[in-house]
Amino acid sequence: MNSSPGRRRTATLPFAIVIALLALALLGPASALAKGGGGGGGGGDTRPEVRVAGSCGRGASSSLKLKARDGAIEAEFEVHSRANTVWRVSMVQERQTVWRGHARTASASRSFSVERRLSDYPGPDQVFVRAIGPRGVTCHAAATLPG
């Protein structure tokens, strides 16, 4: 029966992807922390800013920045790739999809940036972003903003 091994491989592939994404979210890339509250404006927010380099394939690069500001979280995901390409982007916070849409790389900068204002929950906040570009090129980044 030749179709049986194909089905088994198809069934295990999504499971392997889920395991890889969970490992990435738990272990994640090393993040750089910087003290917040440096710019103009009040609030005296002392929560750090978190920046992480994402993981991409085929010559693309990505980064994710999280910053607590005015009772919310400013999330910025950036991808550098080929010019004039369309990407599907999903942003997940605390295992809930908070935004899904499309972004196009600009011709001059060869990049796009997605900025979203997210809810700031008590304690640490986990954010994961994935972008799928032309020919299946995938970028992703995960970061946790300490509570």
Side-chain angles (χ1 to χ4, degrees):
M1 304 287 169
N2 197 13
S3 65
S4 180
R7 282 195 181 123
R8 193 174 311 137
R9 181 179 293 155
T10 303
T12 59
L13 184 59
F15 181 71
I17 291 172
V18 168
I19 295 299
L21 292 176
L22 284 173
L24 176 68
L26 293 175
L27 301 175
S31 61
L33 296 176
K35 293 196 177 195
D45 195 358
T46 59
R47 285 184 73 184
E49 177 180 288
V50 178
R51 296 174 190 242
V52 296
S55 176
C56 294
R58 298 188 197 151
S61 64
S62 65
S63 63
L64 174 62
K65 180 174 90 172
L66 303 177
K67 183 177 183 178
R69 183 180 208 126
D70 299 328
I73 296 173
E74 293 177 355
E76 180 182 0
F77 179 68
E78 190 171 330
V79 171
H80 295 272
S81 180
R82 293 189 353 233
N84 295 319
T85 56
V86 176
W87 292 69
R88 293 179 313 192
V89 183
S90 297
M91 189 173 289
V92 176
Q93 180 185 20
E94 300 298 326
R95 296 185 282 173
Q96 297 291 321
T97 301
V98 292
W99 185 80
R100 185 176 290 159
H102 292 86
R104 178 184 294 275
T105 55
S107 58
S109 66
R110 297 176 22 163
S111 67
F112 71 83
S113 178
V114 173
E115 298 177 23
R116 292 289 172 257
R117 191 166 171 87
L118 308 176
S119 299
D120 189 359
Y121 300 116
D125 292 282
Q126 296 177 339
V127 177
F128 174 79
V129 186
R130 180 179 66 194
I132 301 173
R135 297 185 195 115
V137 176
T138 303
C139 292
H140 50 83
T144 301
L145 187 65

